[in-house]
Amino acid sequence: MTVNAVLSDWQSYTIVFFLILLRITPALVFRSINPLSMLPPYIKVVVTVVTSVMISLHTIDDNLIQRAVQLEGTALAVACLNEFFVGLVFWFALVVTYGAIFTFLKLLDMQVGFNPMGIFNPAMQESEPILTRAI
């Protein structure tokens, strides 16, 4: 898919762009393990939109466009909710995995004796154990 084809028929591609945007928004904007969680909200939104544009320019095919253009009304709303909930599931999987690793490393810090010492993270307003921060 070329950029010229997208620019010539941009109305058809906006629905697909917003569906992609809805899918990646929870993982990039909500607080999680990614480095974006320490940035201001407007930068998170800009990074999310730019990432959505890059993904939509490189993954759109004609069959996907035809199916997305046919969505109207309730079907479009259900598709938007579906994409957002898929993004939430991805985000939740990332947070749960990180939480399990973080808990394990905190227990390891207590066993080693590094638990009283910690590194203060001013962006998150919390103190992190040394091993957890290192790994």
Side-chain angles (χ1 to χ4, degrees):
M1 187 60 48
T2 63
V3 176
N4 293 332
V6 173
L7 291 177
S8 66
D9 192 23
W10 65 272
Q11 288 97 355
S12 301
Y13 293 93
T14 55
I15 295 171
V16 176
F17 165 74
F18 282 115
L19 290 175
I20 292 171
L21 181 70
L22 284 171
R23 182 174 282 197
I24 67 168
T25 296
L28 293 179
V29 174
F30 294 167
R31 183 175 175 181
S32 63
I33 61 170
N34 61 12
L36 295 177
S37 62
M38 294 183 244
L39 295 175
Y42 63 90
I43 293 178
K44 291 181 197 178
V45 171
V46 168
V47 169
T48 304
V49 169
V50 168
T51 305
S52 297
V53 167
M54 303 256 315
I55 290 172
S56 63
L57 286 177
H58 293 291
T59 60
I60 293 176
D61 62 343
D62 293 329
N63 185 25
L64 179 65
I65 295 297
Q66 293 302 322
R67 289 184 8 205
V69 169
Q70 293 172 357
L71 294 174
E72 293 178 358
T74 307
L76 183 61
V78 169
C80 288
L81 285 174
N82 188 22
E83 291 298 321
F84 187 72
F85 284 128
V86 167
L88 277 177
V89 168
F90 289 154
W91 172 75
F92 185 69
L94 285 172
V95 169
V96 167
T97 305
Y98 178 71
I101 294 170
F102 189 74
T103 302
F104 169 73
L105 291 174
K106 276 190 170 185
L107 291 172
L108 188 63
D109 274 337
M110 281 192 275
Q111 293 296 321
V112 173
F114 287 151
N115 196 30
M117 295 185 301
I119 300 170
F120 182 70
N121 185 356
M124 304 294 253
Q125 297 295 326
E126 60 187 23
S127 179
E128 296 177 344
I130 293 173
L131 287 177
T132 305
R133 185 66 173 167
I135 293 176

